[in-house]
Amino acid sequence: MPHAALPGLSFTAIDFETANPKRASVCAVGVVKVRDGVVVDALETLVQPPPGHESFGHFNVAVHGITAWDVMGAPTWDVVYPKVAEFAGGDALVAHNASFDRSVLTQASEAHGISVPRSQWLCTRDTARSVLDLPSYKLPDVSRALNIAAHSHHDAGADARQCALVLVELCRRLGPNWMTQLGQHLRTW
């Protein structure tokens, strides 16, 4: 049985995968829109990494399984970014390890000469640390602790959706003053 909505809990969750250790090397992005605590829309795509960042590192490929072959014919970040920005609108962006995802967004955009406006970000990993006592705060571990079904980890679309579900469940556990609690974790970058 689905949970009741959480009026006022509206945001866009975002997740990136990179081709190599360079943060500008975006090769996949997933974004999920939440309105009143309910997932209502999603957008995901493979991305051709920016010029100078196209090489796919063995470690990164082992993590997410995306190769140079997979992104042949995929749109470049300068084509994808406006779609992501329009999809998110003025929402706060939510990510599990937000500093990583924010840096990918910023550095991939800089590689294409795109100026990214400041926006509000919330990190579900940090929020989970303030609510749960776990030995590990990796997304699958937090999901398991919150009784959220397993997902395809390191798939940008699946990770963005999982991140959204984690935040919704954390807010349920925070109770009626969840909005005040979340406010303590919002950062503007």
Side-chain angles (χ1 to χ4, degrees):
M1 183 169 150
H3 288 289
L6 286 174
L9 182 59
S10 297
F11 60 89
T12 295
I14 189 165
D15 184 77
F16 289 98
E17 298 300 331
T18 56
N20 59 60
K22 294 179 182 174
R23 299 283 172 96
S25 68
V26 60
C27 65
V29 62
V31 283
V32 172
K33 188 177 293 285
V34 172
R35 290 293 174 260
D36 296 321
V38 177
V39 172
V40 296
D41 202 0
L43 169 71
E44 63 181 292
T45 185
L46 292 173
V47 179
Q48 284 185 42
H53 302 280
E54 312 87 348
S55 66
F56 277 74
H58 296 298
F59 175 78
N60 294 64
V61 172
V63 168
H64 53 57
I66 302 167
T67 66
W69 181 261
D70 296 321
V71 301
M72 285 180 57
T76 52
W77 182 243
D78 58 327
V79 172
V80 173
Y81 172 75
K83 295 174 184 176
V84 170
E86 181 182 351
F87 184 90
D91 284 357
L93 296 173
V94 174
H96 201 77
N97 187 4
S99 62
F100 170 80
D101 293 284
R102 173 63 185 169
S103 68
V104 173
L105 173 70
T106 301
Q107 292 181 34
S109 296
E110 286 172 355
H112 281 284
I114 300 167
S115 177
V116 177
R118 291 173 59 83
S119 55
Q120 287 194 312
W121 284 74
L122 187 134
C123 180
T124 53
R125 186 185 63 185
D126 294 346
T127 305
R129 283 185 175 134
S130 71
V131 177
L132 305 169
D133 183 17
L134 303 174
S136 165
Y137 291 91
K138 292 180 180 174
L139 187 55
D141 298 326
V142 172
S143 299
R144 199 170 17 264
L146 295 172
N147 297 315
I148 299 170
H151 72 293
S152 181
H153 191 37
H154 295 298
D155 171 283
D159 278 352
R161 184 175 192 285
Q162 197 76 353
C163 177
L165 297 176
V166 161
L167 184 57
V168 170
E169 187 55 34
L170 287 170
C171 288
R172 287 189 203 293
R173 294 194 180 199
L174 287 168
N177 67 343
W178 63 264
M179 199 174 289
T180 304
Q181 297 280 340
L182 284 190
Q184 297 172 14
H185 295 282
L186 275 175
R187 295 185 60 191
T188 301
W189 280 320

